[in-house]
Amino acid sequence: MPSVYDLAPEAPVVPVVVIEDAADAVPLARALVAGGLPAIEVTLRTPAALDAVRAIAAEVPDAVVGAGTVISAAGVADAVAAGARFLVSPGWTDGLLDAMRASGVPFLPGVSTTSEVVALLERGVRDMKFFPAEPAGGVPYLRSLAGPLPQARFCPTGGISLASAPSYLALPNVGCVGGTWMLPGDALAARDWARVESLAREAAALSRGPQGAPA
C-alpha cells in the first residue's frame, strides 16, 4: 500500500477542511488545487462532509481528497465509499486500525504520546498523524522522538500556522503538516475562493527539510 505522502509528494501542507455546505466543496477544492495543495482532508464533522468528499472525488480530478476525523469502522467504510483516497484519525484503537488497514487506502492514525507511537510501530505502521500538535508538545516533542524512534514519520496537525509550519517541516521525521490557516472563516463565509487560492499558494511554497521529504 502506498504511503499518504506518496499521493501528493510535492505538497508540504494538507489543508484540513470543515465543510458546512456541500455546494462549497468543489469551488473550494479547485481553489486549493490551483494554489498547489492537491491533498485535501475533509473532516467528517458535519452532515455535509461525505457529500463534499463525493463531489470533490467526482468533479475535481486533480484533487487527492481524503477524510479526516475518522473514528469508527463505519466511518472508514462510508468515507471510502464516498471516494476518499486516504484516511486520517485523531487517535486510534485496535478496531479502528484494523478497519483502516483493511480499507485498501493509505491512512494516518493519530498519536500524541510515545507509547502510542511504539504501539503503532509494533503493528507495522510507520506513518502517523501527531495531534493536537501544539498542545501535545509541538516541534520540541517531535524532535525528541526522532532519536529513539527514527522509523516513525509524522503529519503534525493542530494549532500550526504559516509562521510555525517551517519549523515542523525542517524536522527529519515530518513528512507534511496539516493546517487550516489557508481557510480563514471570513474567506469561506464570503466564498472568496481567490483569497483561498492565494493563501494556498503561499503554503505550497513552503519546503521540507531534506530528510523530511517522502521516502
Side-chain angles (χ1 to χ4, degrees), residues 3-6 8-14 108 111 117 126-131 133-134 137-147 149-158 160-161 164-179 181 206-215:
S3 164
V4 169
Y5 306 113
D6 297 329
E10 302 305 318
V13 178
V14 177
L108 290 173
V111 298
V117 176
R126 293 180 57 234
D127 297 330
M128 311 171 196
K129 172 180 178 173
F130 180 59
F131 176 83
E134 287 289 288
V139 169
Y141 191 92
L142 286 177
R143 183 182 294 117
S144 72
L145 292 182
L149 301 171
Q151 63 272 55
R153 185 167 51 171
F154 302 95
C155 178
T157 303
I160 297 175
S161 66
S164 63
S167 296
Y168 283 96
L169 291 168
L171 296 174
N173 54 351
V174 168
C176 64
V177 300
W181 74 83
L206 298 174
S207 60
R208 302 179 181 89
Q211 296 149 314

Side-chain angles (χ1 to χ4, degrees), residues 16 41-45 67-72 75 87-90 129:
V16 180
E41 176 188 336
V42 177
T43 62
L44 302 186
R45 302 180 191 177
T69 321
V70 178
I71 58 173
S72 68
L87 304 169
V88 184
S89 69
K129 172 180 178 173

